[in-house]
Amino acid sequence: SHSGWGSSWLGIAEATLACGAIGGSILGIRWQGQFLARRAFWTLVTQGVGLGLVGVDLRATLVIGMLLIGVTSGLASVWLSGCFLRVVAPSHLGRVSSVSQLGDLLLIPVMTPVFGALAGHASVTTATLVFGACMSVLCLTFVLRPEISGLR
């Protein structure tokens, strides 16, 4: 609101994210292959760039960042789900999916106030760039683990 963008830009950003996720999911279904976990985590490394872009005070970078986040989310979700189906016994799929979901949500209660404090003391751009870089580094550590990158 301080930038004078108005609430319509929130709608545009959310719609861009949703369309990107739908498109990424469709692309992920069509573009299969081996080493889906490795490919998914490399895609999520790229997602960190999108997270950083949403904080830049330009409308074009907001839309590009949200599109990148959406597409990478759609791709990675399909590929990681495909990987689960290939390597996890059917009797354990529910448990593995629950643990994965827990891992996705685990840091939100801690990181949301940290993000707010960083944005308040520095800037929104700084906070999104730092968090985007952290996301990229975290996913890169998964890509570099042979147990994950070697999954077929």
Side-chain angles (χ1 to χ4, degrees), residues 55 111-131:
M111 298 319 308
T112 301
V114 171
F115 181 89
L118 182 57
H121 291 308
S123 69
V124 171
T125 302
T126 300
T128 59
L129 290 172
V130 167
F131 272 63

Side-chain angles (χ1 to χ4, degrees), residues 1-138:
S1 64
H2 295 299
S3 298
W5 289 17
S7 60
S8 62
W9 278 99
L10 176 61
I12 291 167
E14 291 288 334
T16 302
L17 178 87
C19 291
I22 292 167
S25 296
I26 292 168
L27 183 61
I29 291 168
R30 301 254 183 239
W31 182 19
Q32 290 291 310
Q34 294 185 356
F35 304 107
L36 293 176
R38 180 188 319 158
R39 192 183 316 161
F41 282 110
W42 271 118
T43 302
L44 292 173
V45 168
T46 306
Q47 188 178 83
V49 175
L51 292 171
L53 287 175
V54 298
V56 177
D57 196 16
L58 297 169
R59 291 179 178 115
T61 57
L62 171 69
V63 172
I64 291 167
M66 293 299 273
L67 182 63
L68 186 57
I69 293 167
V71 170
T72 56
S73 294
L75 286 168
S77 293
V78 168
W79 290 336
L80 287 175
S81 296
C83 187
F84 283 165
L85 292 173
R86 287 182 181 176
V87 300
V88 177
S91 61
H92 290 79
L93 278 174
R95 291 180 204 121
V96 170
S97 296
S98 294
V99 170
S100 176
Q101 185 69 18
L102 179 63
D104 286 346
L105 301 175
L106 190 64
L107 293 176
I108 290 174
V110 174
M111 298 319 308
T112 301
V114 171
F115 181 89
L118 182 57
H121 291 308
S123 69
V124 171
T125 302
T126 300
T128 59
L129 290 172
V130 167
F131 272 63
C134 288
M135 165 89 178
S136 292
V137 168
L138 176 65

